[in-house]
Amino acid sequence: MKQISDPAKQVTDNLEYMIQNTEVPELNLGERIVEQMNNTNTELNQRNRSKNKRMKRVVAASGIAAALGFGVIGSGFVSPVMASALSQVPLIGNIFQQYGDAGLQASVANGLYQPVQAKDSHNDITLESTGYIYDGTRISVALKRDGQADAKLLGERLDNGDTDTSGKGVLENIRMYINGKEYFTGSYTLKDGDSRDTAILEFNDSPPIILPNADPDKVRRPEPLGDSFELKLEAILTGSDQPYVLTFPVKKNTENLVLKPESVKSHDGFRFALDKLELTPITTRLTMTGSGELASLGDKYKLPAADLYAGKHLFGFDIYDENNNLLKELPGNNMNFINGQYVIDYNFTPFKETPKSVTIKPYVLKQDKSSGKSSEKKYISELEFHVDVK
C-alpha cells in the first residue's frame, strides 16, 4: 500500500532544501535561518513531547515561516522558488492573497508580507493584527477578531450603501498613531477579508480631500510615513467599553524606483507638471500638479455645480508600459484643488516587471446631467507623458 505523504512535512522539507541551496546576495542567511528553525524545533520538542509527529511538522513549518519572515523576507530578497513555497505555508499572508489587489497578491508571492503578533483582549473579544505589507507608499494591515461576536467585523452592507453596525464586535472607528503621535490620513479604507472575522486596513500619506474654499493653512496634511516607524492602532468595537490597542514596528522592505522627470505639458490654456512617478513591487504612485482651464472642453466635461469641485474638471489617468499593459487604479485616490492648482496623488497597481518606458494618458469624463454619473473617457493626447525608465 502506498503511503500518503504529509503536506506539512513536504513544505518543511522543501523549505529546508531551498534555504540550504539558495544563494542570497551579500547576505548569508541560510545558516542563520536553519539555526533558528532548529532552535524553534528543539524548544517545541521540549515543551510538547507528547504531541504527535504531524502536529510537530505543522508547528515546525510555522517556525520556519517566522524565521523567514524576519530573515529572508526582511532582507527584501526571495527567489521565485522560495516565494512559491512561502505562499504554501500557513499564516503567511493568505488574506492578502485572496482578497488583496494585484499588488498585495504579488507581494505575498514575492515574500514581502511581514507577520506580526499584536493583540488586545477584553469584553470576551480579541482583536489582533497578524501582519502587514508596506512599501513606503501605502501600508496594508491584516486584522483578525476572535471571541463572542455576533456580527461581521465590518458590519453588514445594506442595499442603500449604508452599513449596519448593530450587534457586538463591529469595528466602528479606528485611529492610527505613528511613533506615538496621532496620524491624520488623507483617507483610509477598510475591506472585508476572507471570513466574517477578518478585514484589511489600508492607508497612505496622500493629502486629504480639501474643499476649494478651505484655508490650506488650517488643513491637517499627513506627514511622510518614512521607511520605518512604530504603528499603534486604536480600534473601537461595538459592545466594548474601551478601545483595542495594537502596537507593532513597521519597516519598508522594498527597493523602489523613484522617477522625477520634471516634465511639463501644456495645451488649450492648461498646464500639467509630472512631479514624481514611483514604482514599487506593490504600488505605482503618480504625483502631478496642474493649473489653468481646458477652454475647449465645455461644461459637459466639468463636474456638476453641486459636486465638490464645482466647475472643475475631474482628471483620471491611464498608465501603460511599452507593451500596452494597463495598470488598475486603486481605491481611495483624491484629487484636490489647492491654492489655484490641481493636486494629483494617485495610486495604481504595480507593473509585473520593471518597464522600459511608461506612458501616462490623462482624461476627463463626460458628465451625464440626468443621472449624475460620469462616463465616456476623453483623452487629452497633448497632455500625455512618456517616461523612459531604463
Side-chain angles (χ1 to χ4, degrees):
M1 180 177 179
K2 186 176 181 180
Q3 186 176 7
I4 299 176
S5 61
D6 185 345
K9 181 179 184 302
Q10 288 181 339
V11 172
T12 304
D13 292 341
N14 289 341
L15 284 171
E16 290 176 355
Y17 174 82
M18 284 183 294
I19 290 169
Q20 293 168 355
N21 291 276
T22 299
E23 294 183 5
V24 183
E26 299 180 359
L27 293 173
N28 183 15
L29 297 175
E31 294 180 1
R32 212 169 77 197
I33 295 170
V34 172
E35 180 181 358
Q36 182 168 344
M37 177 190 72
N38 291 333
N39 291 339
T40 302
N41 289 338
T42 300
E43 183 178 351
L44 288 170
N45 288 335
Q46 290 174 346
R47 293 181 181 179
N48 304 289
R49 292 185 182 277
S50 61
K51 291 188 177 181
N52 60 50
K53 293 182 179 179
R54 184 176 184 277
M55 181 60 70
K56 288 180 181 177
R57 283 290 183 177
V58 172
V59 176
S62 298
I64 297 171
L68 288 166
F70 296 104
V72 173
I73 292 177
S75 74
F77 169 80
V78 177
S79 70
V81 179
M82 184 176 288
S84 176
L86 283 173
S87 66
Q88 302 174 43
V89 180
L91 307 180
I92 296 292
N94 60 346
I95 185 174
F96 295 120
Q97 284 179 309
Q98 298 178 40
Y99 289 85
D101 54 61
L104 298 180
Q105 292 170 358
S107 69
V108 175
N110 291 324
L112 299 176
Y113 171 85
Q114 303 192 69
V116 297
Q117 293 182 342
K119 63 176 62 178
D120 193 9
S121 301
H122 47 82
N123 297 87
D124 299 320
I125 290 178
T126 296
L127 184 70
E128 65 177 314
S129 171
T130 54
Y132 69 89
I133 295 170
Y134 178 54
D135 63 351
T137 293
R138 59 169 170 149
I139 179 170
S140 302
V141 181
L143 298 175
K144 183 175 182 293
R145 179 191 64 184
D146 289 306
Q148 302 299 315
D150 53 16
K152 290 178 64 176
L153 179 57
L154 298 186
E156 296 291 343
R157 302 294 189 273
L158 303 178
D159 292 340
N160 63 1
D162 294 336
T163 301
D164 180 6
T165 59
S166 63
K168 181 180 178 181
V170 177
L171 180 57
E172 284 189 306
N173 186 36
I174 191 164
R175 290 183 174 181
M176 286 72 78
Y177 295 80
I178 302 294
N179 296 328
K181 182 180 179 181
E182 186 167 5
Y183 192 74
F184 297 96
T185 65
S187 64
Y188 70 86
T189 61
L190 284 163
K191 53 187 175 182
D192 292 315
D194 55 350
S195 73
R196 66 190 298 273
D197 294 306
T198 60
I200 297 174
L201 164 69
E202 189 167 280
F203 65 93
N204 60 27
D205 56 9
S206 62
I209 294 178
I210 301 172
L211 294 171
N213 58 353
D215 183 352
D217 295 332
K218 295 182 179 180
V219 176
R220 288 182 294 197
R221 302 186 190 182
E223 296 290 333
L225 287 171
D227 289 347
S228 62
F229 53 87
E230 181 184 77
L231 176 63
K232 181 174 78 171
L233 304 176
E234 283 190 358
I236 304 296
L237 270 60
T238 56
S240 296
D241 54 5
Q242 56 184 309
Y244 291 80
V245 180
L246 310 177
T247 304
F248 52 91
V250 172
K251 185 176 182 180
K252 178 175 80 74
N253 66 345
T254 59
E255 294 293 332
N256 299 355
L257 179 60
V258 180
L259 305 173
K260 296 183 178 181
E262 298 181 354
S263 181
V264 175
K265 298 286 185 178
S266 298
H267 172 66
D268 196 25
F270 191 85
R271 177 183 182 273
F272 254 142
L274 175 56
D275 301 318
K276 183 175 72 171
L277 183 65
E278 184 169 0
L279 310 181
T280 90
I282 302 169
T283 314
T284 301
R285 187 171 186 173
L286 173 67
T287 305
M288 304 180 73
T289 51
S291 59
E293 292 293 336
L294 285 160
S296 63
L297 288 176
D299 290 340
K300 64 182 179 181
Y301 290 104
K302 291 185 178 181
L303 290 173
D307 284 3
L308 177 62
Y309 295 97
K312 302 298 180 184
H313 295 101
L314 178 61
F315 287 99
F317 300 86
D318 281 346
I319 301 180
Y320 296 85
D321 65 8
E322 70 278 4
N323 296 315
N324 213 35
N325 294 310
L326 174 65
L327 300 185
K328 182 178 180 181
E329 185 177 337
L330 294 173
N333 287 332
N334 301 322
M335 186 191 78
N336 277 294
F337 192 74
I338 306 172
N339 292 333
Q341 283 194 320
Y342 289 85
V343 178
I344 308 295
D345 193 342
Y346 285 3
N347 287 325
F348 299 79
T349 54
F351 290 105
K352 292 182 179 180
E353 298 179 353
T354 302
K356 295 179 180 179
S357 65
V358 174
T359 299
I360 302 166
K361 300 178 66 173
Y363 62 83
V364 290
L365 293 171
K366 184 176 181 179
Q367 305 296 321
D368 186 333
K369 302 298 183 180
S370 59
S371 66
K373 295 182 179 180
S374 300
S375 60
E376 189 182 332
K377 292 180 182 179
K378 180 174 179 59
Y379 292 96
I380 309 163
S381 59
E382 294 86 352
L383 297 176
E384 184 175 299
F385 291 87
H386 181 83
V387 181
D388 290 327
V389 178
K390 61 178 183 179

mmCIF file with all atom_site columns, all heavy atoms in Angstrom, residues 369-384:
data_model
loop_
_atom_site.group_PDB
_atom_site.id
_atom_site.type_symbol
_atom_site.label_atom_id
_atom_site.label_alt_id
_atom_site.label_comp_id
_atom_site.label_asym_id
_atom_site.label_entity_id
_atom_site.label_seq_id
_atom_site.pdbx_PDB_ins_code
_atom_site.Cartn_x
_atom_site.Cartn_y
_atom_site.Cartn_z
_atom_site.occupancy
_atom_site.B_iso_or_equiv
_atom_site.pdbx_formal_charge
_atom_site.auth_seq_id
_atom_site.auth_comp_id
_atom_site.auth_asym_id
_atom_site.auth_atom_id
_atom_site.pdbx_PDB_model_num
ATOM 1   N N   . LYS A 1 369 ? -25.828 64.659 -17.120 1.00 0.00 ? 369 LYS A N   1
ATOM 2   C CA  . LYS A 1 369 ? -26.542 65.569 -16.232 1.00 0.00 ? 369 LYS A CA  1
ATOM 3   C C   . LYS A 1 369 ? -27.789 64.934 -15.620 1.00 0.00 ? 369 LYS A C   1
ATOM 4   O O   . LYS A 1 369 ? -28.198 65.263 -14.520 1.00 0.00 ? 369 LYS A O   1
ATOM 5   C CB  . LYS A 1 369 ? -26.931 66.844 -17.001 1.00 0.00 ? 369 LYS A CB  1
ATOM 6   C CG  . LYS A 1 369 ? -25.753 67.593 -17.609 1.00 0.00 ? 369 LYS A CG  1
ATOM 7   C CD  . LYS A 1 369 ? -24.787 68.094 -16.553 1.00 0.00 ? 369 LYS A CD  1
ATOM 8   C CE  . LYS A 1 369 ? -23.665 68.902 -17.193 1.00 0.00 ? 369 LYS A CE  1
ATOM 9   N NZ  . LYS A 1 369 ? -22.708 69.402 -16.197 1.00 0.00 ? 369 LYS A NZ  1
ATOM 10  N N   . SER A 1 370 ? -28.424 63.998 -16.336 1.00 0.00 ? 370 SER A N   1
ATOM 11  C CA  . SER A 1 370 ? -29.663 63.414 -15.827 1.00 0.00 ? 370 SER A CA  1
ATOM 12  C C   . SER A 1 370 ? -29.407 62.406 -14.713 1.00 0.00 ? 370 SER A C   1
ATOM 13  O O   . SER A 1 370 ? -30.097 62.390 -13.701 1.00 0.00 ? 370 SER A O   1
ATOM 14  C CB  . SER A 1 370 ? -30.427 62.737 -16.967 1.00 0.00 ? 370 SER A CB  1
ATOM 15  O OG  . SER A 1 370 ? -29.617 61.718 -17.571 1.00 0.00 ? 370 SER A OG  1
ATOM 16  N N   . SER A 1 371 ? -28.389 61.579 -14.880 1.00 0.00 ? 371 SER A N   1
ATOM 17  C CA  . SER A 1 371 ? -28.108 60.549 -13.871 1.00 0.00 ? 371 SER A CA  1
ATOM 18  C C   . SER A 1 371 ? -27.041 60.975 -12.877 1.00 0.00 ? 371 SER A C   1
ATOM 19  O O   . SER A 1 371 ? -26.928 60.402 -11.795 1.00 0.00 ? 371 SER A O   1
ATOM 20  C CB  . SER A 1 371 ? -27.659 59.257 -14.560 1.00 0.00 ? 371 SER A CB  1
ATOM 21  O OG  . SER A 1 371 ? -26.408 59.438 -15.201 1.00 0.00 ? 371 SER A OG  1
ATOM 22  N N   . GLY A 1 372 ? -26.223 61.976 -13.239 1.00 0.00 ? 372 GLY A N   1
ATOM 23  C CA  . GLY A 1 372 ? -25.137 62.399 -12.363 1.00 0.00 ? 372 GLY A CA  1
ATOM 24  C C   . GLY A 1 372 ? -23.919 61.513 -12.457 1.00 0.00 ? 372 GLY A C   1
ATOM 25  O O   . GLY A 1 372 ? -22.936 61.725 -11.745 1.00 0.00 ? 372 GLY A O   1
ATOM 26  N N   . LYS A 1 373 ? -23.962 60.512 -13.340 1.00 0.00 ? 373 LYS A N   1
ATOM 27  C CA  . LYS A 1 373 ? -22.841 59.585 -13.474 1.00 0.00 ? 373 LYS A CA  1
ATOM 28  C C   . LYS A 1 373 ? -21.845 60.085 -14.518 1.00 0.00 ? 373 LYS A C   1
ATOM 29  O O   . LYS A 1 373 ? -22.199 60.832 -15.427 1.00 0.00 ? 373 LYS A O   1
ATOM 30  C CB  . LYS A 1 373 ? -23.344 58.189 -13.853 1.00 0.00 ? 373 LYS A CB  1
ATOM 31  C CG  . LYS A 1 373 ? -24.200 57.527 -12.784 1.00 0.00 ? 373 LYS A CG  1
ATOM 32  C CD  . LYS A 1 373 ? -24.632 56.132 -13.205 1.00 0.00 ? 373 LYS A CD  1
ATOM 33  C CE  . LYS A 1 373 ? -25.465 55.473 -12.126 1.00 0.00 ? 373 LYS A CE  1
ATOM 34  N NZ  . LYS A 1 373 ? -25.902 54.099 -12.539 1.00 0.00 ? 373 LYS A NZ  1
ATOM 35  N N   . SER A 1 374 ? -20.601 59.638 -14.355 1.00 0.00 ? 374 SER A N   1
ATOM 36  C CA  . SER A 1 374 ? -19.554 60.005 -15.302 1.00 0.00 ? 374 SER A CA  1
ATOM 37  C C   . SER A 1 374 ? -19.235 58.820 -16.192 1.00 0.00 ? 374 SER A C   1
ATOM 38  O O   . SER A 1 374 ? -19.157 57.683 -15.723 1.00 0.00 ? 374 SER A O   1
ATOM 39  C CB  . SER A 1 374 ? -18.292 60.452 -14.560 1.00 0.00 ? 374 SER A CB  1
ATOM 40  O OG  . SER A 1 374 ? -18.564 61.563 -13.740 1.00 0.00 ? 374 SER A OG  1
ATOM 41  N N   . SER A 1 375 ? -19.070 59.076 -17.457 1.00 0.00 ? 375 SER A N   1
ATOM 42  C CA  . SER A 1 375 ? -18.739 58.004 -18.385 1.00 0.00 ? 375 SER A CA  1
ATOM 43  C C   . SER A 1 375 ? -18.025 58.609 -19.583 1.00 0.00 ? 375 SER A C   1
ATOM 44  O O   . SER A 1 375 ? -17.798 59.814 -19.650 1.00 0.00 ? 375 SER A O   1
ATOM 45  C CB  . SER A 1 375 ? -19.999 57.261 -18.831 1.00 0.00 ? 375 SER A CB  1
ATOM 46  O OG  . SER A 1 375 ? -20.880 58.157 -19.483 1.00 0.00 ? 375 SER A OG  1
ATOM 47  N N   . GLU A 1 376 ? -17.665 57.794 -20.548 1.00 0.00 ? 376 GLU A N   1
ATOM 48  C CA  . GLU A 1 376 ? -17.079 58.228 -21.813 1.00 0.00 ? 376 GLU A CA  1
ATOM 49  C C   . GLU A 1 376 ? -15.803 59.049 -21.590 1.00 0.00 ? 376 GLU A C   1
ATOM 50  O O   . GLU A 1 376 ? -15.828 60.276 -21.519 1.00 0.00 ? 376 GLU A O   1
ATOM 51  C CB  . GLU A 1 376 ? -18.101 59.041 -22.621 1.00 0.00 ? 376 GLU A CB  1
ATOM 52  C CG  . GLU A 1 376 ? -17.632 59.332 -24.046 1.00 0.00 ? 376 GLU A CG  1
ATOM 53  C CD  . GLU A 1 376 ? -18.658 60.175 -24.810 1.00 0.00 ? 376 GLU A CD  1
ATOM 54  O OE1 . GLU A 1 376 ? -19.857 60.082 -24.481 1.00 0.00 ? 376 GLU A OE1 1
ATOM 55  O OE2 . GLU A 1 376 ? -18.238 60.912 -25.706 1.00 0.00 ? 376 GLU A OE2 1
ATOM 56  N N   . LYS A 1 377 ? -14.702 58.329 -21.464 1.00 0.00 ? 377 LYS A N   1
ATOM 57  C CA  . LYS A 1 377 ? -13.414 58.994 -21.292 1.00 0.00 ? 377 LYS A CA  1
ATOM 58  C C   . LYS A 1 377 ? -13.048 59.821 -22.525 1.00 0.00 ? 377 LYS A C   1
ATOM 59  O O   . LYS A 1 377 ? -13.243 59.382 -23.650 1.00 0.00 ? 377 LYS A O   1
ATOM 60  C CB  . LYS A 1 377 ? -12.307 57.952 -21.083 1.00 0.00 ? 377 LYS A CB  1
ATOM 61  C CG  . LYS A 1 377 ? -12.377 57.192 -19.789 1.00 0.00 ? 377 LYS A CG  1
ATOM 62  C CD  . LYS A 1 377 ? -11.219 56.194 -19.706 1.00 0.00 ? 377 LYS A CD  1
ATOM 63  C CE  . LYS A 1 377 ? -11.271 55.381 -18.436 1.00 0.00 ? 377 LYS A CE  1
ATOM 64  N NZ  . LYS A 1 377 ? -10.159 54.392 -18.352 1.00 0.00 ? 377 LYS A NZ  1
ATOM 65  N N   . LYS A 1 378 ? -12.541 61.002 -22.285 1.00 0.00 ? 378 LYS A N   1
ATOM 66  C CA  . LYS A 1 378 ? -11.991 61.817 -23.365 1.00 0.00 ? 378 LYS A CA  1
ATOM 67  C C   . LYS A 1 378 ? -10.516 62.039 -23.054 1.00 0.00 ? 378 LYS A C   1
ATOM 68  O O   . LYS A 1 378 ? -10.164 62.771 -22.115 1.00 0.00 ? 378 LYS A O   1
ATOM 69  C CB  . LYS A 1 378 ? -12.705 63.153 -23.488 1.00 0.00 ? 378 LYS A CB  1
ATOM 70  C CG  . LYS A 1 378 ? -12.129 64.014 -24.613 1.00 0.00 ? 378 LYS A CG  1
ATOM 71  C CD  . LYS A 1 378 ? -12.923 65.281 -24.830 1.00 0.00 ? 378 LYS A CD  1
ATOM 72  C CE  . LYS A 1 378 ? -12.311 66.133 -25.942 1.00 0.00 ? 378 LYS A CE  1
ATOM 73  N NZ  . LYS A 1 378 ? -12.238 65.429 -27.250 1.00 0.00 ? 378 LYS A NZ  1
ATOM 74  N N   . TYR A 1 379 ? -9.659  61.387 -23.820 1.00 0.00 ? 379 TYR A N   1
ATOM 75  C CA  . TYR A 1 379 ? -8.223  61.513 -23.617 1.00 0.00 ? 379 TYR A CA  1
ATOM 76  C C   . TYR A 1 379 ? -7.717  62.826 -24.198 1.00 0.00 ? 379 TYR A C   1
ATOM 77  O O   . TYR A 1 379 ? -8.222  63.312 -25.216 1.00 0.00 ? 379 TYR A O   1
ATOM 78  C CB  . TYR A 1 379 ? -7.487  60.351 -24.271 1.00 0.00 ? 379 TYR A CB  1
ATOM 79  C CG  . TYR A 1 379 ? -7.733  59.020 -23.597 1.00 0.00 ? 379 TYR A CG  1
ATOM 80  C CD1 . TYR A 1 379 ? -8.707  58.153 -24.083 1.00 0.00 ? 379 TYR A CD1 1
ATOM 81  C CD2 . TYR A 1 379 ? -7.010  58.646 -22.475 1.00 0.00 ? 379 TYR A CD2 1
ATOM 82  C CE1 . TYR A 1 379 ? -8.957  56.946 -23.462 1.00 0.00 ? 379 TYR A CE1 1
ATOM 83  C CE2 . TYR A 1 379 ? -7.247  57.433 -21.850 1.00 0.00 ? 379 TYR A CE2 1
ATOM 84  C CZ  . TYR A 1 379 ? -8.224  56.582 -22.340 1.00 0.00 ? 379 TYR A CZ  1
ATOM 85  O OH  . TYR A 1 379 ? -8.472  55.389 -21.728 1.00 0.00 ? 379 TYR A OH  1
ATOM 86  N N   . ILE A 1 380 ? -6.733  63.385 -23.529 1.00 0.00 ? 380 ILE A N   1
ATOM 87  C CA  . ILE A 1 380 ? -6.130  64.640 -23.974 1.00 0.00 ? 380 ILE A CA  1
ATOM 88  C C   . ILE A 1 380 ? -4.694  64.319 -24.358 1.00 0.00 ? 380 ILE A C   1
ATOM 89  O O   . ILE A 1 380 ? -3.767  64.370 -23.539 1.00 0.00 ? 380 ILE A O   1
ATOM 90  C CB  . ILE A 1 380 ? -6.194  65.693 -22.859 1.00 0.00 ? 380 ILE A CB  1
ATOM 91  C CG1 . ILE A 1 380 ? -7.630  65.796 -22.324 1.00 0.00 ? 380 ILE A CG1 1
ATOM 92  C CG2 . ILE A 1 380 ? -5.727  67.048 -23.361 1.00 0.00 ? 380 ILE A CG2 1
ATOM 93  C CD1 . ILE A 1 380 ? -7.752  66.481 -21.003 1.00 0.00 ? 380 ILE A CD1 1
ATOM 94  N N   . SER A 1 381 ? -4.517  63.972 -25.610 1.00 0.00 ? 381 SER A N   1
ATOM 95  C CA  . SER A 1 381 ? -3.216  63.474 -26.067 1.00 0.00 ? 381 SER A CA  1
ATOM 96  C C   . SER A 1 381 ? -2.118  64.528 -25.938 1.00 0.00 ? 381 SER A C   1
ATOM 97  O O   . SER A 1 381 ? -0.944  64.194 -25.755 1.00 0.00 ? 381 SER A O   1
ATOM 98  C CB  . SER A 1 381 ? -3.322  62.981 -27.511 1.00 0.00 ? 381 SER A CB  1
ATOM 99  O OG  . SER A 1 381 ? -3.746  64.033 -28.366 1.00 0.00 ? 381 SER A OG  1
ATOM 100 N N   . GLU A 1 382 ? -2.495  65.797 -26.032 1.00 0.00 ? 382 GLU A N   1
ATOM 101 C CA  . GLU A 1 382 ? -1.492  66.855 -25.932 1.00 0.00 ? 382 GLU A CA  1
ATOM 102 C C   . GLU A 1 382 ? -0.875  66.956 -24.533 1.00 0.00 ? 382 GLU A C   1
ATOM 103 O O   . GLU A 1 382 ? 0.185   67.552 -24.347 1.00 0.00 ? 382 GLU A O   1
ATOM 104 C CB  . GLU A 1 382 ? -2.118  68.208 -26.302 1.00 0.00 ? 382 GLU A CB  1
ATOM 105 C CG  . GLU A 1 382 ? -2.558  68.306 -27.753 1.00 0.00 ? 382 GLU A CG  1
ATOM 106 C CD  . GLU A 1 382 ? -3.972  67.763 -27.963 1.00 0.00 ? 382 GLU A CD  1
ATOM 107 O OE1 . GLU A 1 382 ? -4.545  67.180 -27.000 1.00 0.00 ? 382 GLU A OE1 1
ATOM 108 O OE2 . GLU A 1 382 ? -4.502  67.907 -29.079 1.00 0.00 ? 382 GLU A OE2 1
ATOM 109 N N   . LEU A 1 383 ? -1.545  66.386 -23.526 1.00 0.00 ? 383 LEU A N   1
ATOM 110 C CA  . LEU A 1 383 ? -1.040  66.404 -22.146 1.00 0.00 ? 383 LEU A CA  1
ATOM 111 C C   . LEU A 1 383 ? -0.476  65.048 -21.732 1.00 0.00 ? 383 LEU A C   1
ATOM 112 O O   . LEU A 1 383 ? -0.274  64.771 -20.550 1.00 0.00 ? 383 LEU A O   1
ATOM 113 C CB  . LEU A 1 383 ? -2.154  66.826 -21.183 1.00 0.00 ? 383 LEU A CB  1
ATOM 114 C CG  . LEU A 1 383 ? -2.711  68.239 -21.378 1.00 0.00 ? 383 LEU A CG  1
ATOM 115 C CD1 . LEU A 1 383 ? -3.873  68.492 -20.422 1.00 0.00 ? 383 LEU A CD1 1
ATOM 116 C CD2 . LEU A 1 383 ? -1.626  69.291 -21.190 1.00 0.00 ? 383 LEU A CD2 1
ATOM 117 N N   . GLU A 1 384 ? -0.240  64.197 -22.706 1.00 0.00 ? 384 GLU A N   1
ATOM 118 C CA  . GLU A 1 384 ? 0.262   62.838 -22.440 1.00 0.00 ? 384 GLU A CA  1
ATOM 119 C C   . GLU A 1 384 ? 1.772   62.885 -22.151 1.00 0.00 ? 384 GLU A C   1
ATOM 120 O O   . GLU A 1 384 ? 2.523   63.627 -22.779 1.00 0.00 ? 384 GLU A O   1
ATOM 121 C CB  . GLU A 1 384 ? -0.011  61.971 -23.655 1.00 0.00 ? 384 GLU A CB  1
ATOM 122 C CG  . GLU A 1 384 ? 0.355   60.523 -23.524 1.00 0.00 ? 384 GLU A CG  1
ATOM 123 C CD  . GLU A 1 384 ? -0.086  59.738 -24.753 1.00 0.00 ? 384 GLU A CD  1
ATOM 124 O OE1 . GLU A 1 384 ? -1.315  59.700 -25.025 1.00 0.00 ? 384 GLU A OE1 1
ATOM 125 O OE2 . GLU A 1 384 ? 0.789   59.205 -25.453 1.00 0.00 ? 384 GLU A OE2 1
#
